[in-house]
Amino acid sequence: AAATEVKKGVKNLWKGGESAGLKPHPNYNQYIQVNYFKAFMHAFPFMWSNEMYWYLPKNRVPWDMFLPFVVQYNKQCTNLLNVVIMLILDESMSGWRPKSSATGGLPNITYEPRKPVNLGTMVRNGAECITGIFVHHDIVQSVLEQGDKKYVDEVLHLPQGEKVLVHVAEVLRQVENAKVPADGWVGGDAWFGSINTVMELKHRGDVNSTFIVKQN
C-alpha cells in the first residue's frame, strides 16, 4: 500500500490530517500503531535467517541471512506457476545509496551505469512469457560467491572440453529452477548469450534458445 503513496518514509506515512495536495495525509495510524510497525521492520529482515546472524554488526551481515527468503520465494513461484514453454531472462536493480560505508552494510554492491538505477543490488530474473510473472530470482553476489554457484566450472559438452562460465551457469540455473520443459524456449540479452549457452541448453535439457551474441 505504501508504494502507491507519494509520501515516503514512516514519518510521512503516519502523518494525518489535511495536506497541501489533492488528498489528505495517509494516516497509517488508522491501520497499525507506528511503534508496532517499527518493531516489525526491525524484526522482518531476520525472519528467515539463522539465529547466528541476529546480532552481527550491520556492516558484517552476509547474503546467507537473506537468501533463505529468496529460496522460499522462488519455490512458491514455481509451485504456483508452470512455465508452459517460454522463459525470458534479464536483470533488475534494487537501488541502494550507501552513506556510512562503501556498501552501506550490504555484503557487496553492484554499479551498472547503463541501468536507470545504477547502484545497488542486482538481481537476475526469469519471467514466464505468457503471464509476464517472475518465476525465479538470483541475487548477484560477490565474484567469489558467484563462482561457487551450481554449474560453474563443470565441463561443457563441446569438443575441447572448456569449463562452464558464470553466464552459462546462470542460464542453466534459471532454466532448471523455472522448470522449463523439454522443447521449451529461453531468451535473453547479450550478457546471457553465447554459443556455449545455446549448446548446453540443448544438450542438457533439450531446451531451445535465442540470445543476442555481441562477439562473433
Side-chain angles (χ1 to χ4, degrees), residues 192-212:
F192 301 95
S194 68
I195 301 301
N196 293 355
T197 304
V198 174
M199 294 293 293
E200 287 303 294
L201 286 169
K202 194 65 179 175
H203 190 280
R204 290 175 182 251
D206 194 23
V207 173
N208 305 306
S209 56
T210 308
F211 296 99
I212 297 169

Side-chain angles (χ1 to χ4, degrees), residues 7-143:
K7 308 288 185 181
K8 295 182 180 179
V10 171
K11 181 178 179 181
N12 289 320
L13 289 171
W14 264 259
K15 190 181 294 184
E18 295 297 320
S19 72
L22 297 175
K23 61 178 184 176
H25 290 297
N27 187 24
Y28 275 32
N29 199 56
Q30 62 186 308
Y31 309 120
I32 183 174
Q33 294 181 29
V34 65
N35 286 337
Y36 285 2
F37 183 76
K38 287 181 177 179
F40 168 77
M41 291 300 293
H42 277 83
F44 181 76
F46 303 94
M47 287 176 62
W48 288 268
S49 71
N50 190 296
E51 188 175 350
M52 64 186 288
Y53 299 124
W54 290 4
Y55 307 105
L56 289 176
K58 289 183 177 180
N59 61 351
R60 291 181 53 201
V61 176
W63 282 120
D64 286 340
M65 191 194 97
F66 187 69
L67 286 176
F69 167 78
V70 180
V71 170
Q72 289 297 317
Y73 181 88
N74 286 336
K75 184 178 179 181
Q76 290 284 42
C77 287
T78 52
N79 286 341
L80 291 169
L81 187 70
N82 286 328
V83 177
V84 179
I85 190 167
M86 294 186 294
L87 182 76
I88 193 74
L89 306 178
D90 206 352
E91 305 102 353
S92 58
M93 293 285 286
S94 178
W96 191 250
R97 295 288 179 183
K99 294 181 180 179
S100 58
S101 65
T103 64
L106 291 175
N108 64 278
I109 195 166
T110 300
Y111 174 65
E112 184 51 73
R114 64 191 178 91
K115 296 291 183 184
V117 178
N118 59 21
L119 191 66
T121 296
M122 179 179 280
V123 183
R124 295 203 168 97
N125 315 295
E128 197 277 323
C129 292
I130 305 299
T131 62
I133 297 174
F134 288 127
V135 289
H136 191 262
H137 298 286
D138 185 19
I139 292 178
V140 177
Q141 298 167 245
S142 69
V143 174

